Amino acid sequence: MDNKNQNNKNNRDRRPIRPGGLGKPGPKQPFNAYWIYAILSMGLIGMLLFGQNKTEKDVDWSDFQEYVEDNRIESVLVYRNKKQAKAKVRTESVNYVFEEDAARFSNNPFINVNIPSTDGVSEFIDNVRSEKEYDIKVKFDDTSEFWGMILSFAPFLLLIVFWIWMMRRMQGGGAGGGGAGIFNVGKSKAQLFDKDAGTKVTFKDVAGLSEAKEEVQEIVEFLKHPGNYTNLGGKIPKGALLVGPPGTGKTLLAKAVAGEANVPFFSISGSDFVEMFVGVGASRVRDLFKQAKEKSPSIIFIDEIDAVGRARSKNAGFSSNDERENTLNQLLTEMDGFGSNSGVIILAATNRADILDKALLRAGRFDRQIHVELPDLNDRKEIFNVHLRPIKIDESVDVEFLARQTPGFSGADIANVCNEAALIAARGKKSFVGKEDFLSAVDRIIGGLEKKNKIITQDEKKTIAIHEAGHATLSWFLEHANPLVKVTIVPRGKALGAAWYLPEERQITTKEQMLDEMCALLGGRAAEQLFVGETSSGAMNDLERVTKQAYGMIAYLGMSDKMPNLSYYDSSGQDYSFQKPYSERTAELIDNEVKALIAEQYQRAKDLLKEHAEGHNKLSDVLIEKEMIYAENLESIFGKRKWVSRSHEILQQNLETESKESASKEETTVTPKEVVRLKMKIQIHLRQMSKLIMVI
């Protein structure tokens, strides 16, 4: 008895277990649609074989002989492989042959007859034609019976194939698969990256983003060792929101989290939830979370979540979208609602966190907001090292110099620079990618392609040279202006000339620094008015930047004498579409302050250019002659610049810190010779930095 009970228990243990529960039978198999196809096919074949009306009359061999001898047959088709013949009755003999059925066979007057042999039929008809001189045509058909049947069934087979193809397309099994069919419209379109499939992305593949990687490391630790947190009473983090500009590596960081945790990774875009059918978005959300729960622990990554997570309108009748809001409501319910999502962590990415719904951002849904900013100097060096691995470079390539030449570049931009440099070197049929190729790639990405064949008159060329020389002159004599790298009057993209600077990566910016930048931007227009006598349209981009910066200083940063410490900036992202937060009088005051600020800096630019007019004219002449000048040309004309860049200062501080640390570790007395040697080392490093900035 005990053995029997034990066997029953073992049999129960062997039953399949449903993913969603313990010990419950598996899901019932759905009805296979191919049974419908089989029934329809059999019905069509039956109709073809048994349900069709006879369109030809069968006659005996003796009757056929009579019809031939009486000249009632027009032509005969003899089937060699069937021992059958098909004869066409003459029009005037239709009533005689078919009798009461003549009306039905009048349009198709054919008769079928079983023949004794092909030679017998041929001999009989030849004898009749020779004796009575009848005009009877005889043809022979060698087609086999099998192929004849196939040909007769061909239209119906094509119809069946077309029907099956249409049904598969409707079910999503055709070219649109993966939930593209009408019956699978509510299924999730998430792409699954399983732990056993493909190449995994880890934190080693993510260069820079050190702070962001530290924050997501805790999520990885939880997925690997959840007991360490739950034993202490901690709860599972529901999700993390990655916020940052495009191309900074948000998606890559999310994939690295999944790769490090070694768990299934569901990736989907926010726009994939939106469809023209009502209720599809909510259905796809439910299906996505269902799949994630079945494979838990797992990660759901929603890219561009602002497509479905936009803040809901307070006015139901204005700028509302019921379908999008229903999708958002379902997402909120799945993330926090009445159900438990144990083992499922949601990662999302957006570059517009200010427009997301507040209910989505609260604790318990997205517990953390991880900011993924543009890479700084050290991060850009790491990113360059990653993207330079597959590229054949020579000794002239300096990673630190490239990192300093690309301020404000995202990780995607740096990858584009490396790829563009390789393409430029390949077009030049080089064996290695050199420093010049990378600089050309940076210039092309920033300024566009060179247009050396563009037709420019000598007067236009002189005006452009005076304009660009004005920018270069002011940047040399303004303390807080960005250091100049090179100036060119060769057209690039939409610009007729361009000046390259090395922007200072400041954490905060003072009013004096902004004023110097505005003055340098106005140097081109001021030079045109002073040395040409008229202004041109070439300063449009400069004026646009100056105007925006002036309005930002007055309306946002409170840097106005008449309107101090006032900011009308809306950090919530709602924007003042219909009603501004200030009166018309205040708006007029803002406009006047902006005009006064720009006029002041314009007059300052003119005064500086008048003071250094001789050097400016020499610089413009050199620019007309060479079409491109560097920082060393300005140093030969104006002398050494009074101020060093922020990069020089940071480098000097780092060297002094390193020397102090090394001296303290050695615990030795520093001799005067060693002091002199240390100073020489610092000077050498500063010279190298100046060469990196000035020489291209």
Side-chain angles (χ1 to χ4, degrees), residues 601-667:
Q601 296 307 313
Y602 185 67
Q603 186 61 42
R604 181 187 176 194
K606 289 172 66 176
D607 295 340
L608 281 174
L609 288 174
K610 288 178 182 178
E611 183 180 351
H612 304 282
E614 183 179 355
H616 173 273
N617 294 331
K618 289 182 181 179
L619 189 62
S620 61
D621 294 338
V622 175
L623 192 56
I624 293 173
E625 180 183 355
K626 297 183 177 180
E627 292 187 343
M628 187 177 296
I629 58 174
Y630 301 95
E632 57 186 4
N633 299 110
L634 272 75
E635 187 173 354
S636 63
I637 296 174
F638 298 115
K640 192 174 182 63
R641 196 167 186 259
K642 297 179 181 181
W643 309 277
V644 296
S645 65
R646 184 170 177 267
S647 303
H648 284 76
E649 296 177 0
I650 294 174
L651 178 63
Q652 187 173 2
Q653 292 175 4
N654 293 337
L655 291 173
E656 292 177 352
T657 304
E658 291 177 1
S659 61
K660 290 179 181 179
E661 291 178 354
S662 60
S664 61
K665 288 180 181 179
E666 293 177 357
E667 295 182 355

Side-chain angles (χ1 to χ4, degrees), residues 339-367:
S340 174
N341 299 328
S342 62
V344 180
I345 293 178
I346 299 96
L347 296 179
T350 181
N351 52 12
R352 303 181 67 188
D354 53 334
I355 66 172
L356 295 180
D357 196 277
K358 293 181 179 179
L360 193 64
L361 299 177
R362 75 160 176 83
R365 292 193 173 104
F366 284 115
D367 301 295

